[in-house]
Amino acid sequence: MFNKIDHIGIAVKDLESANKMFGALSEIGLLKIEKVESEGVMTSFFKVGDTKIEFLQSLDPDNAISKFIEKNGEGLHHIAFEVEDIDNEIIRLKELGFEMINTQKKEGADNKYICFVHPRSTNRVLTELCQDKASPPAPLLQRGEN
Ligand code: ZN
């Protein structure tokens, strides 16, 4: 089950100008800039309430963001939903017949495990699932005081 919209991803040609634009548009300060080696992208995040906006600039002319911009121009790229257990969600969605771009979780930006569902399965909306690495299920503390 999805918990919430974690972030909305926007593909841009120039991260710096996108950051300036969004800062002026929203009056919100930049949260962070992060390079994601595995995806060949530079990302920036703005926190808007309980959700984030992620801007993505490609560092590699052959990667998914470059191809997206070539085909569609800049703009909305994906919606990311937070889940508790990404491994179980991948299994659940595969069983339901969703076409997964990633059949295993991978390292994403913002300290997350991520995977993508192919837009062919989701009314042409690239859908990301993400799980916070910093919040594994909390183990019950056994203090033995009773
Ligand atoms: Zn994302």
Side-chain angles (χ1 to χ4, degrees):
M1 191 177 83
F2 292 176
N3 285 347
K4 65 169 189 178
I5 295 176
D6 182 81
H7 65 269
I8 294 170
I10 299 173
V12 299
K13 291 177 182 167
D14 180 349
L15 199 63
E16 209 178 307
S17 72
N19 291 343
K20 278 189 194 141
M21 177 284 296
F22 196 75
L25 180 70
S26 66
E27 295 193 303
I28 293 170
L30 176 64
L31 181 66
K32 63 176 163 181
I33 291 180
E34 189 179 340
K35 187 177 184 178
V36 187
E37 297 281 358
S38 60
E39 302 288 307
V41 294
M42 195 66 91
T43 65
S44 64
F45 287 89
F46 291 80
K47 196 168 191 307
V48 184
D50 205 22
T51 300
K52 280 160 276 180
I53 301 293
E54 175 186 31
F55 290 100
L56 305 109
Q57 180 194 321
S58 175
L59 302 172
D60 169 358
D62 291 325
N63 74 4
I65 295 296
S66 290
K67 285 178 187 154
F68 177 88
I69 289 177
E70 209 171 282
K71 199 171 160 193
N72 307 289
E74 296 180 298
L76 279 180
H77 181 257
H78 64 272
I79 299 181
F81 296 94
E82 181 192 88
V83 299
E84 296 285 336
D85 183 338
I86 196 167
D87 297 313
N88 273 337
E89 287 295 301
I90 291 170
I91 293 166
R92 182 178 73 82
L93 295 179
K94 274 160 64 178
E95 280 175 0
L96 288 172
F98 285 93
E99 185 181 342
M100 305 302 293
I101 293 175
N102 315 106
T103 53
Q104 298 285 327
K105 69 186 171 197
K106 59 180 183 173
E107 308 257 328
D110 199 25
N111 200 34
K112 301 247 194 295
Y113 291 120
I114 63 166
C115 71
F116 287 95
V117 186
H118 200 287
R120 270 196 290 269
S121 291
T122 51
N123 295 80
R124 298 187 63 233
V125 176
L126 177 59
T127 301
E128 176 183 343
L129 309 188
C130 61
Q131 178 189 341
D132 206 332
K133 281 192 214 167
S135 63
L140 291 171
L141 293 175
Q142 305 257 331
R143 291 178 185 272
E145 284 176 5
N146 292 329

